[in-house]
Structures are given as C-alpha cells and as structure tokens.
C-alpha cells in the first residue's frame, strides 16, 4: 500500500542548531515533492517544492533534498529560531489530476 | 488577493444533523481541493475540482458527503446525518493551473467541526 511517513514524535532542538526532518514514501513515483508548514488552528502554508530531477533546493535558511532511489526527502532548517516551531508536512503529487497527498507531519519545537 | 476563505470557522452540531461549509478560493485559481484533518494527522484528501468539474473523490468520502462548485467559483461541502467520527478540521485549498503541471496549494484556515 502507499505510505508517506514522517517522524511521528516531536523533534526538540536548541535554538541556533540545524533541524533535520525526514519524509519517506512507499509505492509512489512522484514527479515532485513539497514541504508545508502548519501552525496550530491554521491551514498549511507552502514552503518549498523539489522536482524528481533535482537533488537539492534552497530558500533562505531552508534546504530540501530529494532522493528518488531511497524514496526519501530531507528538510533542513539552519540556524533554527523559536519562531520556526510548528508542524512540518511533506506532500507528494500522487495522481493524474494533481492530487496531493500529505504525510502525518513532524512537530518541531525550537528551544531558546 | 484576499486568500482562501472558509466559513464558518467553527461548527458545533448534534449527531444526525446536516452541515454545510463554504470555501471561497483565490479568484484566479481554477483548482479547488477539500481535505479533512484530525488531531496529530496530516490532511487527508477528500475531493478535487478543476473549474466546476469534480475530477476525483476519495473513497473516504461516503455517500453522506457531497461537494459542489457551481460555476467554478466558490465550493460547498455538505455532510448529511453527521456522526461523531466526522469531527475534524475541514480544509479547503486552491491552486492555479500552471504550465508546469503543478502550482502550490493555498489553504484556508479551515472549518473545525465538532459533532456531539
């Protein structure tokens, strides 16, 4: 069956360190993968998209890698700040009609 | 650009009642999605519209659920004979029809449904 797995346990990290979140998927062949941020009581907000032919993408303090052989994406936040505390969701294109399927999300807590 | 708006933000209803939610997408977006999210889980895909056509519907969506998008503008999601298991956040998202085949999703703040 198809699965998108993210660390179900919360990730606690000290301010200033690099946070690394993992997304593993099974039985998908996505043309692209995205990362979203979600704050409590709000809808997800798009952060980054990476295509299957791209290995790495950066935006300010964010970096995403995409390994289609390992079926894994890593999401890095460098110089993390308490304001980065949120749930981070990975999402895959998963159907001919642009259907987007989300993982369960990882809650990140950056400790001052 | 006022973003995606959803109404109401919160809805409390008794089991067995019908409820309807509304979503107004970003005006130039022709794609519209509905998702359901429960605590600690990611959003689950429910259905998708391209303009007024409903192109895909999840098997999670029982026949008590119906969604419409008349004239390809706003959309409504109706749940008939609500059950306690329907309690969740219902999220709407929209996107443009990009040349690359994908554009990012813009989400509303959701409607939190509580079925008592």
């Amino acid at each position: 069956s198809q699965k998108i797995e993210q660390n179900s346990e919360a990730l606690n990290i000290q301010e200033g360190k690099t946070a690394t979140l993992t997304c593993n998927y099974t039985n998908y062949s996505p043309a692209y993968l995205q990362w979203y941020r979600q704050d409590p009581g709000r809808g997800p907000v798009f952060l980054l998209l990476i295509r299957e032919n791209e290995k790495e993408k950066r935006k300010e303090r964010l970096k995403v890698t995409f390994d289609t052989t390992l079926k894994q994406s890593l999401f890095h936040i460098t110089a993390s700040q308490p304001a980065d505390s949120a749930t981070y969701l990975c999402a895959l294109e998963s159907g001919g009609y642009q259907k987007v399927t989300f993982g369960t999300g990882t809650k990140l807590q950056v400790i001052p | 650009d006022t973003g995606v708006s959803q109404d109401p933000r919160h809805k409390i209803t008794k089991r067995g009642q019908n409820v309807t939610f509304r979503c107004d997408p970003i005006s130039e977006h022709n794609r519209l999605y509905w998702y359901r999210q429960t605590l600690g889980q990611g959003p689950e895909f429910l259905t998708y519209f391209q303009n007024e056509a409903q192109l895909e519907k999840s098997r999670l969506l029982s026949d008590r659920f119906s969604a419409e998008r008349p004239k390809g503008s706003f959309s409504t999601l109706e749940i008939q004979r609500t059950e306690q298991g329907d309690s969740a956040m219902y999220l709407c998202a929209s996107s443009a029809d990009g040349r690359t085949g994908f554009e990012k999703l813009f989400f509303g703040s959701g409607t939190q449904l509580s079925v008592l």
Side-chain angles (χ1 to χ4, degrees), chain A residues 46-91:
Chain A
F46 174 82
L47 295 174
L48 279 169
L49 177 151
I50 186 165
R51 300 185 189 280
E52 60 180 338
N53 60 350
E54 297 175 318
K55 296 294 184 190
E56 181 179 300
K57 201 129 185 210
R58 292 175 186 259
K59 179 182 174 184
E60 298 172 351
R61 294 184 296 112
L62 308 180
K63 184 178 88 171
V64 172
T65 62
F66 190 13
D67 189 326
T68 55
T69 303
L70 289 179
K71 296 187 182 296
Q72 181 181 78
S73 175
L74 299 178
F75 177 79
H76 307 271
I77 306 175
T78 58
S80 58
Q81 304 166 1
D84 296 326
S85 299
T87 295
Y88 291 86
L89 299 157
C90 86

Side-chain angles (χ1 to χ4, degrees), chain B residues 40 56 59 73 81 85 100 106 112:
Chain B
E56 189 164 348
R59 60 180 179 275
S73 55
R81 305 181 303 281
T100 58
F106 291 80
Q112 181 67 52

Side-chain angles (χ1 to χ4, degrees), chain B residues 14-115:
Chain B
K14 291 183 180 178
R15 191 176 52 186
Q17 298 293 305
N18 299 345
V19 294
T20 300
F21 311 140
R22 177 179 170 124
C23 171
D24 286 273
I26 293 171
S27 57
E28 63 268 26
H29 286 180
N30 57 356
R31 297 180 181 172
L32 187 146
Y33 302 75
W34 284 99
Y35 287 85
R36 180 174 66 190
Q37 187 175 27
T38 53
L39 202 61
Q41 300 297 314
E44 290 178 296
F45 173 83
L46 293 179
T47 191
Y48 160 66
F49 290 86
Q50 173 99 13
N51 299 310
E52 65 274 13
Q54 188 173 18
L55 294 186
E56 189 164 348
K57 191 173 169 180
S58 167
R59 60 180 179 275
L60 293 174
L61 222 59
S62 75
D63 52 11
R64 296 186 297 107
F65 289 72
S66 62
E68 293 182 343
R69 193 182 182 197
K71 301 178 184 177
S73 55
F74 71 92
S75 177
T76 58
L77 179 68
E78 181 183 15
I79 310 174
Q80 296 183 325
R81 305 181 303 281
T82 52
E83 301 172 356
Q84 287 182 326
D86 297 331
S87 296
M89 172 79 85
Y90 289 83
L91 291 162
C92 175
S94 69
S95 72
D97 198 5
R99 290 188 179 188
T100 58
F102 171 75
E103 293 288 334
K104 60 189 178 185
L105 300 184
F106 291 80
F107 280 86
S109 293
T111 294
Q112 181 67 52
L113 173 66
S114 298
V115 181

Side-chain angles (χ1 to χ4, degrees), chain A residues 8-70:
Chain A
S8 56
E9 293 189 11
L11 178 64
N12 295 321
I13 193 163
Q14 207 69 35
E15 182 177 5
K17 300 291 186 185
T18 297
T20 299
L21 285 66
T22 305
C23 175
N24 294 296
Y25 58 91
T26 309
N27 293 326
Y28 285 99
S29 297
Y32 47 80
L33 183 148
Q34 312 145 68
W35 285 87
Y36 288 76
R37 170 186 172 138
Q38 187 173 25
D39 292 288
R42 307 303 299 265
V45 175
F46 174 82
L47 295 174
L48 279 169
L49 177 151
I50 186 165
R51 300 185 189 280
E52 60 180 338
N53 60 350
E54 297 175 318
K55 296 294 184 190
E56 181 179 300
K57 201 129 185 210
R58 292 175 186 259
K59 179 182 174 184
E60 298 172 351
R61 294 184 296 112
L62 308 180
K63 184 178 88 171
V64 172
T65 62
F66 190 13
D67 189 326
T68 55
T69 303
L70 289 179

